[in-house]
Amino acid sequence: MTASGTKPRKLFIKTYGCQMNVYDSERMAEALGGAGYVTTDRAEDADMILLNTCHIREKAAEKVYSELGRLKPLKAANPDLRIGIAGCVAQAEGEEILRRAPVVDLVVGPQTYHRLPALEAAVRAGQRPVDTEFPEEDKFDHLPRTPRTRRAPTAFLTVQEGCDKFCAFCVVPYTRGAEISRPVDRLMAEARDLVERGVREITLLGQNVNAYHGAGPDGRDWSLARLIRAMAGIDGLERIRYTTSHPNDMDDDLIAAHADTPKLMPYLHLPVQSGSDRILKAMNRKHRAEDYLRLIERLRAARPDLLLSGDFIVGFPGETDADFEDTMNLVRAVGYGQAYSFKYSARPGTPAAERAGVAPEVMDARLQRLQALLAEQQRQQQEAMVGREVDVLFEKPGRMAGQMVGKSDHLHAVHVADHRARVGAVMRVRITQSATHSLSGELV
Ligand code: SAH
Ligand code: SF4
Ligand code: F3S
């Protein structure tokens, strides 16, 4: 029973897509918490189900409709169940979702989820509201303060949102809107609050996080490097990461921060998409392969043990065998510790969607070769950790009894079987073994 005497309703949120959706899902739970909802991790128990969706590739977007198919029987069993679509598919498709999926009661875009309590009330009044505005007001100013519950040792914090880059293949500038940066004092307050609740590692999020230029307390715009250095001053915060960066926004000061800020972890996700200058130009990435390689050199000069991660697209319209070999050569030149690679997916409304595509079997073959190379690099970089001592932030018990799992500075998952390992502690571990997706070791 809540204070007002009504039984709390239950909310189930399923999250797709990127880390920003993970952050947004927490904010949505808080917004609806103010309207009497508590979260559940069982869809069967829910009075409200929200799917926080991703539109980045066709497969991701189509998942929404297959999930709605699976939810149909739940709605048949419980006519009071409400189903909402949030996130980037909601933004991209809006009303169309209501037409295509009669089980859906509400549609809310990524910039208006602070209005969820009002939308939920409209649903209970028998409407099927759609809110995909890009409002004047800032959603971050409208969300209720979080109840001061204990948190897991790692957390995301959105500092920048939206994108003005308009890469020719990408929906994000349309689904998330123009770039905005949150003010420094708000971010510092949110970071301190997280740390007081047990968080030891914060990952600063943005679709173009290194384009961050938020209003500082001194009346000037602060860069991401400046924000990171300020956050590093928070006692109890042990680690800072940021993602995702664009190569063109990697300024000198941010590179310097990798050298002078020990709390900034030696891991960087820096997508390049292709190693061919012709394709980079067609993608509107606005830099050459050579520029990226020089940038990596400067980053490694600042932080020699930096582990690099990237994103790649194969089969972008017009990609020839020679273009693809340029990508393979760039990967060989960089040496990635981690990477994501995708087949190009034509997205409605993007410039590249109009262009003639590469044959599917050619894309398949290229993706296989690229993934084999990336997997081999990842394996080698993991193997190289064996025998070394690393710092591990323990996050949760492992699958085997007595085991704990955490992440190293380089974001490798590390297993340790030792009762002294505690969740939330950073401890020194000697790596003894490398498996496919994780390392294991012993406390030093
Ligand atoms: N803001 C980030 C990326 C966001 S999307 C950046 O600029 O790097 C995450 C990744 O999805 C991209 O880096 C890209 O590799 C991939 N991606 C985006 N649109 C895609 C499309 N239409 N087809 C295939 N992959 C795509
Ligand atoms: Fe998409 Fe390019 Fe913006 Fe990244 S920089 S979100 S790939 S448009
Ligand atoms: Fe997907 Fe939207 Fe993130 S399209 S990758 S959920 S910004």
Side-chain angles (χ1 to χ4, degrees):
M1 299 288 249
T2 61
S4 61
T6 50
K7 197 164 150 271
R9 291 187 292 266
K10 289 193 177 151
L11 170 68
F12 173 82
I13 306 184
K14 183 157 181 176
T15 307
Y16 302 83
C18 61
Q19 293 104 324
M20 196 171 290
N21 266 9
V22 175
Y23 179 83
D24 289 350
S25 289
E26 288 177 12
R27 301 287 84 77
M28 286 190 244
E30 284 165 13
L32 283 170
Y37 278 87
V38 295
T39 52
T40 171
D41 45 22
R42 285 170 44 91
E44 302 76 33
D45 296 345
D47 302 289
M48 161 87 83
I49 295 178
L50 285 178
L51 303 182
N52 194 13
T53 62
C54 175
H55 199 245
I56 201 81
R57 286 167 291 274
E58 190 180 356
K59 260 202 196 135
E62 283 304 315
K63 268 189 202 156
V64 180
Y65 292 98
S66 47
E67 182 65 22
L68 284 172
R70 278 194 289 277
L71 293 179
K72 246 190 194 160
L74 287 184
K75 186 128 178 180
N78 173 12
D80 291 333
L81 171 64
R82 303 292 181 232
I83 297 178
I85 303 296
C88 291
V89 176
Q91 191 63 44
E93 297 186 7
E95 298 270 350
E96 176 61 23
I97 298 173
L98 296 186
R99 276 192 286 279
R100 211 177 138 181
V103 292
V104 173
D105 299 290
L106 93 94
V107 175
V108 60
Q111 302 309 340
T112 45
Y113 55 66
H114 56 294
R115 297 177 180 165
L116 265 170
L119 296 168
E120 190 265 354
V123 169
R124 284 197 291 139
Q127 297 166 29
R128 292 176 88 202
V130 175
D131 191 344
T132 53
E133 258 189 74
F134 288 113
E136 284 293 307
E137 83 262 17
D138 182 351
K139 67 182 171 193
F140 295 110
D141 290 339
H142 283 74
L143 292 167
R145 272 196 65 80
T146 59
R148 300 187 62 83
T149 47
R150 193 97 191 134
R151 300 270 315 222
T154 62
F156 295 129
L157 173 50
T158 295
V159 304
Q160 177 280 342
E161 189 168 353
C163 182
D164 298 338
K165 296 271 192 300
F166 292 91
C167 299
F169 50 82
C170 184
V171 294
V172 170
Y174 312 97
T175 63
R176 292 277 170 173
E179 242 178 39
I180 64 113
S181 293
R182 297 179 64 194
V184 171
D185 53 355
R186 301 293 298 263
L187 295 171
M188 291 300 289
E190 201 168 323
R192 281 193 200 96
D193 182 63
L194 289 169
V195 172
E196 278 167 28
R197 290 155 60 186
V199 170
R200 294 291 166 261
E201 171 179 312
I202 293 179
T203 301
L204 307 177
L205 296 183
Q207 267 93 28
N208 260 290
V209 71
N210 57 345
Y212 177 83
H213 57 97
D218 54 1
R220 300 216 184 145
D221 274 5
W222 282 31
S223 66
L224 184 66
R226 210 164 162 197
L227 179 69
I228 287 171
R229 291 197 186 97
M231 279 197 187
I234 298 176
D235 274 344
L237 179 61
E238 307 214 26
R239 292 173 158 187
I240 302 170
R241 303 181 189 276
Y242 61 94
T243 199
T244 297
S245 298
H246 191 290
N248 288 357
D249 292 316
M250 213 65 222
D251 64 24
D252 294 348
D253 200 25
L254 188 53
I255 296 172
H258 279 279
D260 64 33
T261 310
K263 286 185 184 180
L264 182 57
M265 291 291 100
Y267 179 100
L268 180 62
H269 183 60
L270 195 62
V272 64
Q273 316 297 353
S274 169
S276 151
D277 289 342
R278 226 174 52 81
I279 294 298
L280 286 168
K281 191 159 201 288
M283 285 176 163
N284 194 31
R285 291 290 291 187
K286 299 200 170 97
H287 65 76
R288 298 163 306 160
E290 187 62 20
D291 303 323
Y292 182 82
L293 292 173
R294 292 291 83 79
L295 176 59
I296 301 291
E297 274 174 13
R298 290 168 59 216
L299 280 157
R300 283 186 167 146
R303 183 79 204 226
D305 67 337
L306 190 71
L307 189 139
L308 280 154
S309 160
D311 289 343
F312 298 90
I313 295 177
V314 301
F316 185 79
E319 186 187 73
T320 63
D321 285 338
D323 293 320
F324 176 68
E325 293 310 324
D326 287 344
T327 299
M328 294 290 280
N329 286 332
L330 177 138
V331 170
R332 287 184 195 108
V334 172
Y336 288 91
Q338 166 75 44
Y340 304 88
S341 46
F342 312 98
K343 281 187 271 184
Y344 168 72
S345 168
R347 306 306 291 130
T350 60
E354 314 289 317
R355 305 177 198 163
V358 169
E361 60 279 10
V362 173
M363 275 204 231
D364 283 333
R366 287 180 189 165
L367 186 67
Q368 257 186 32
R369 277 188 60 207
L370 176 60
Q371 290 190 335
L373 175 60
L374 291 166
E376 176 54 21
Q377 292 191 338
Q378 185 178 340
R379 193 190 62 78
Q380 281 178 9
Q381 295 211 15
Q382 252 188 232
E383 291 270 323
M385 303 309 291
V386 175
R388 283 171 59 181
E389 283 183 16
V390 300
D391 288 324
V392 174
L393 170 58
F394 288 102
E395 292 177 16
K396 59 186 180 205
R399 247 178 290 161
M400 297 225 269
Q403 204 184 44
M404 287 288 259
V405 196
K407 296 275 168 56
S408 73
D409 289 0
H410 296 99
L411 212 55
H412 287 126
V414 179
H415 292 85
V416 168
D418 191 315
H419 65 277
R420 288 170 302 168
R422 282 178 302 105
V423 169
V426 176
M427 302 173 97
R428 200 89 182 140
V429 174
R430 184 177 304 105
I431 301 300
T432 52
Q433 238 184 349
S434 171
T436 316
H437 294 293
S438 65
L439 299 168
S440 45
E442 295 156 352
L443 291 187
V444 176

